[in-house]
Amino acid sequence: MTEILTTIAALQRAVAHAPHRPFLLFEGRAYPYATVAAAASRWATRLRAAGVERGDRVALYLENSPAFVAAYLGAHMIGAIVVLINTQYRHTELRHILSDSQARVIIVGDQAHADLVCQAQENAQTIRADAVVLEETGDMPDWASAPAPHDIALLGYTSGTTGRSKGAMLTHANLMANSAAVTRAWHWTEQDRLLLTLPLFHIHGLGVGLNGALFTASTVDLRRGFDATDVIDTLTRGETTMFFGVPTMYTRLIAEARRRLAEGAPFRVDTVRLFVSGSAPLTPQTFAEFEELFGQRILERYGMTETIMNLTNPYDGERRPGTVGMPFPGQEARIVDVRTRQPIPDGVIGEIQVRGPNVFAGYWRNPQATAEAFDADGWFNTGDLGWRGADGYFVITGRARELIISGGYNIYPREVEEVLLDHPAVAEVAVVGLPDPEFGEQVVAVVVPTAQPRDGLEQELIDWCRARLASYKKPRRVIFAATLPRNALGKVQKHLLQQQLQEA
Ligand code: MLC
Ligand code: AMP
């Protein structure tokens, strides 16, 4: 069998092999592989007409839908680079991503999103997702302009400590090497049906979920978003074989299962052969409660936008709570000293480094950040801390970079701090993450005000952030303080602040 090295080669294989098999199920309709390929081809034509050429950027600012998938593959059909944008992003994030990626076209779901795009970038060329018909078959896809394996397929914007996110360049070969590894490790076949409620604009939903299905020519039961009632109803109907989610989704499934049990309303999940969790740490408590209620051991894995999937608990062996398992087939991982970046013995905490065909090609238009991310032997510094046990299981213990993960979404304190500093009532600010029972962590802002804080200022600052950034980045609490704890160099000591707030 020839090796599949681009998304379009995977699509072509699926169409040749199983044209009538549903690729997507969405809101009561089935979209077979041949139909999605025909719709992608119409998108390719539409994008060409808009002036998009090979290597140009096409941004998707779209909710989950078959149109998202058709536009994604249509852009790839003509060798364009897809830029992923979270639909919660507002002016600050949009303006940066659109200008940094220099997207030629932005595909939007509705007028409200088109307006947000135009406010962020005056000359943006937007196309509505409904501009292209999805349901028809008929046109034969034009495979002639298909991309090459080392062409860039995606820019996934993700950030470091600067507050400005960077576009991680994932090639087609990266995407498909990752899908090959994931599908092998998790025994994913064309018989599978994945219930996918994760957003397609991040790597968990797209790079693991959608691409894995495309690679195996299997079926995705796609939802607009996550709803615990709908998920348990769907699993009970008995056709789903896999579910992937972030820990917050599992917490909500546990609560929903308890509610049903209390009401004597039965549910079943016996057709599901695999539940996977990732994007944030799954607590051993959630693991145990889920096993007790659903009779299944969640498989936890670890990934990143830059690398897609890195480490996984075994499918057949022991799925050990509190660990993220071992490297996927064909990949490597090791622990190094945070300062010297030299390998250190098992059991000692250091930074996790990874290497393999899944690892991205660098940051878009940012050679300096790219150079800092890799060592001379091609190991990528993940910025995550952990240790490896003698039996090969990795444990993540924390992060070397400042990052808050809330419900599987990343929040960079610096980005929120910059927005708060623009408010006239804020003199100084430090944003930290505190433990949260539902989202894992929550955003808290400690503000030194310019004057005695007036009534209602806390809510005003929260609304200020919500108007400028994705809503999930807004502080859940604002605490006013006279000063911030700083070290001798003047740097805010956030660990002290976190400690004080947790003790308070
Ligand atoms: C939503 N809200 C959140 C939030 N999600 N607040 C904090 N943290 C979150 N994660 C807020 C909204 O801003 C809004 O606030 C309110 O909740 C309702 O929004 P919603 O969209 O209706 O929420 P809901 O559907 O319940 O979302 C919860 C969720 C979602 C868990 C389903 O957060 C989610 O899909 N998370 C997955 C993210 C993901 O895919 N991450 C993978 C990244 S890739 P208001 O005030 O405006 O009403 C990666 C690599 C890897 O990390 O390893 O996978
Ligand atoms: P992103 O930059 O959005 O791709 O998020 C990637 C980050 O999510 C990683 O660097 C980790 O910090 C975190 N992450 C992903 N999976 C896990 C996991 N299973 N356990 C703990 N952290 C995780």
Side-chain angles (χ1 to χ4, degrees):
M1 201 167 68
T2 52
E3 207 181 345
I4 294 296
L5 294 170
T6 71
T7 57
I8 298 306
L11 180 63
Q12 204 169 356
R13 176 171 69 177
V15 170
H17 174 70
H20 306 301
R21 179 177 304 143
F23 179 8
L24 306 171
L25 303 172
F26 188 74
E27 298 187 342
R29 291 188 78 127
Y31 297 81
Y33 273 93
T35 305
V36 176
S41 179
R42 285 191 286 275
W43 266 110
T45 306
R46 180 71 185 80
L47 290 169
R48 264 213 193 94
V52 175
E53 293 177 16
R54 180 170 287 272
D56 281 348
R57 274 74 60 210
V58 172
L60 303 184
Y61 188 41
L62 275 181
E63 308 282 348
N64 284 4
S65 65
F68 184 113
V69 180
Y72 166 66
L73 293 169
H76 283 174
M77 265 183 187
I78 55 170
I81 299 171
V82 169
V83 181
L84 300 176
I85 307 183
N86 187 319
T87 50
Q88 284 204 43
Y89 287 172
R90 290 296 173 262
H91 193 261
T92 308
E93 298 105 329
L94 274 176
R95 199 182 41 195
H96 169 63
I97 294 176
L98 295 178
S99 76
D100 186 71
S101 66
Q102 296 174 327
R104 184 176 277 270
V105 167
I106 301 111
I107 302 175
V108 294
D110 55 28
Q111 194 54 44
H113 280 92
D115 292 345
L116 287 167
V117 165
C118 292
Q119 284 155 22
Q121 203 181 61
E122 263 173 35
N123 303 321
Q125 187 184 356
T126 58
I127 302 180
R128 286 275 294 267
D130 56 12
V132 167
V133 182
L134 284 182
E135 281 77 10
E136 291 165 18
T137 41
D139 353 9
M140 283 306 289
D142 172 9
W143 307 109
S145 313
H150 294 289
D151 287 346
I152 301 165
L154 278 184
L155 296 184
Y157 274 81
T158 178
S159 186
T161 49
T162 55
R164 289 262 167 273
S165 60
K166 304 185 287 278
M169 301 187 284
L170 287 159
T171 66
H172 280 273
N174 292 149
L175 298 184
M176 292 297 104
N178 173 76
S179 294
V182 166
T183 55
R184 198 174 132 202
W186 298 346
H187 299 196
W188 192 338
T189 73
E190 60 183 354
Q191 311 292 335
D192 276 304
R193 182 189 286 191
L194 170 69
L195 175 59
L196 191 60
T197 68
L198 288 155
L200 290 172
F201 45 66
H202 283 302
I203 224 60
H204 193 165
L206 188 73
V208 192
L210 189 87
N211 286 349
L214 177 65
F215 189 82
T216 50
S218 60
T219 300
V220 176
D221 189 358
L222 183 68
R223 295 300 140 97
R224 278 182 196 274
F226 175 82
D227 175 66
T229 309
D230 170 56
V231 167
I232 294 191
D233 285 345
T234 304
L235 301 182
T236 299
R237 279 200 295 277
E239 285 167 297
T240 306
T241 66
M242 298 193 292
F243 176 82
F244 302 165
V246 297
T248 300
M249 294 179 180
Y250 286 101
T251 316
R252 292 189 186 175
L253 289 176
I254 288 167
E256 172 64 13
R258 290 220 168 100
R259 197 182 62 74
R260 290 190 188 212
L261 288 174
E263 286 176 1
F267 62 89
R268 296 172 31 204
V269 296
D270 40 306
T271 58
V272 186
R273 64 172 186 85
L274 183 62
F275 285 94
V276 179
S277 175
S279 308
L282 182 76
T283 65
Q285 187 194 341
T286 304
F287 180 96
E289 289 175 356
F290 193 84
E291 184 174 16
E292 191 192 316
L293 287 159
F294 292 84
Q296 301 233 14
R297 291 172 74 82
I298 299 170
L299 183 153
E300 184 171 7
R301 87 327 174 258
Y302 157 65
M304 269 183 100
T305 301
E306 288 93 333
T307 60
I308 325 176
M309 290 298 99
N310 296 321
L311 299 167
T312 180
N313 267 279
Y315 185 80
D316 288 316
E318 187 198 355
R319 298 179 194 168
R320 197 179 295 169
T323 81
V324 288
M326 295 154 242
F328 277 89
Q331 304 181 12
E332 299 169 275
R334 66 179 189 179
I335 306 286
V336 296
D337 183 278
V338 174
R339 267 169 295 275
T340 64
R341 294 253 157 79
Q342 290 304 306
I344 54 177
D346 285 344
V348 181
I349 294 178
E351 181 170 356
I352 303 172
Q353 284 188 331
V354 298
R355 192 162 69 173
N358 55 311
V359 177
F360 75 137
Y363 294 107
W364 175 252
R365 297 199 317 169
N366 199 336
Q368 193 190 335
T370 304
E372 286 165 9
F374 290 94
D375 78 4
D377 299 319
W379 288 96
F380 171 64
N381 308 316
T382 61
D384 289 309
L385 301 176
W387 53 277
R388 198 185 85 135
D391 56 3
Y393 283 73
F394 283 74
V395 174
I396 297 176
T397 54
R399 295 165 211 132
R401 62 214 145 103
E402 260 191 44
L403 169 66
I404 299 168
I405 304 184
S406 168
Y409 279 139
N410 287 6
I411 298 152
Y412 295 90
R414 178 74 178 271
E415 188 179 36
V416 185
E417 287 164 2
E418 282 175 7
V419 166
L420 283 168
L421 279 172
D422 281 340
H423 191 284
V426 176
E428 291 176 56
V429 59
V431 167
V432 295
L434 291 188
D436 182 272
E438 184 180 11
F439 289 110
E441 289 181 290
Q442 62 169 256
V443 178
V444 175
V446 182
V447 167
V448 178
T450 47
Q452 182 64 24
R454 57 179 178 276
D455 280 355
L457 183 58
E458 174 176 8
Q459 192 56 45
E460 190 181 320
L461 293 177
I462 293 171
D463 293 343
W464 175 268
C465 291
R466 191 202 259 123
R468 288 162 178 79
L469 294 169
S471 169
Y472 63 83
K473 298 179 183 173
K474 68 185 181 290
R476 298 265 227 105
R477 277 194 290 155
V478 177
I479 292 161
F480 295 105
T483 54
L484 297 174
R486 292 183 186 271
N487 66 15
L489 299 170
K491 194 173 171 337
V492 177
Q493 292 173 296
K494 289 203 173 168
H495 57 285
L496 280 184
L497 210 51
Q498 270 166 321
Q499 221 175 320
Q500 288 165 7
L501 291 170
Q502 271 173 265
E503 285 164 5

